Amino acid sequence: VQLQASGGGLVQTGSSLTLTCTASGFNLADYDIGWFRQAPGKEREGVSCINEMDGIKHYRDSVKGRFTMSTDSSKNTLYLQMNTLKSEDTAVYYCAADPAIILDCLNGTKDFEFWGQGTKVTVSS
């Protein structure tokens, strides 16, 4: 099982970025999947995730309406479209997957088994 995240960069406030996470060795559709981030000096936090049981996309409040998570099953790829970026979105972003159902996936930092290597997003004002 491997996850490869990419798409980070340095952007200005208000800009957009799309992060990509390519999965190999397993089918994303069979796993709980999500995006997490870790800002300097802070704990890793959930950004968006899909619980395989309910199929609902969950978002943390601070990104609702600005971030959209999506998947492309034909490419076995997970995306995070980030719009109207703010300086507080600056962090290293990670994609994660787990074969088990994680009911509270946004708070599942310690529950997800497989992680991508992270891609850095820096939003400058």
Side-chain angles (χ1 to χ4, degrees):
V1 174
Q2 284 191 328
L3 295 166
Q4 181 73 32
S6 62
L10 172 62
V11 297
Q12 293 187 331
T13 301
S15 298
S16 297
L17 270 180
T18 300
L19 304 183
T20 300
C21 177
T22 302
S24 58
F26 71 103
N27 187 351
L28 273 177
D30 297 330
Y31 280 57
D32 279 14
I33 52 178
W35 286 98
F36 293 77
R37 68 186 181 187
Q38 188 165 16
K42 295 187 178 181
E43 294 186 353
R44 192 171 299 188
E45 62 184 18
V47 176
S48 181
C49 58
I50 296 176
N51 181 308
E52 186 189 1
M53 184 174 71
D54 59 25
I56 296 174
K57 296 176 186 176
H58 303 273
Y59 297 92
R60 70 181 303 106
D61 288 344
S62 62
V63 307
K64 285 181 180 177
R66 300 189 298 121
F67 290 12
T68 303
M69 182 172 68
S70 61
T71 58
D72 185 334
S73 58
S74 67
K75 297 181 179 179
N76 210 29
T77 298
L78 174 67
Y79 302 97
L80 184 68
Q81 173 68 43
M82 306 185 295
N83 297 326
T84 319
L85 283 161
K86 304 176 180 180
S87 57
E88 52 262 44
D89 296 319
T90 294
V92 177
Y93 284 71
Y94 300 88
C95 52
D98 195 280
I101 293 174
I102 302 172
L103 293 178
D104 187 11
C105 56
L106 273 182
N107 294 308
T109 302
K110 297 181 179 179
D111 298 312
F112 278 85
E113 181 176 358
F114 303 107
W115 293 84
Q117 84 286 5
T119 184
K120 188 174 182 180
V121 174
T122 304
V123 184
S124 65
S125 56

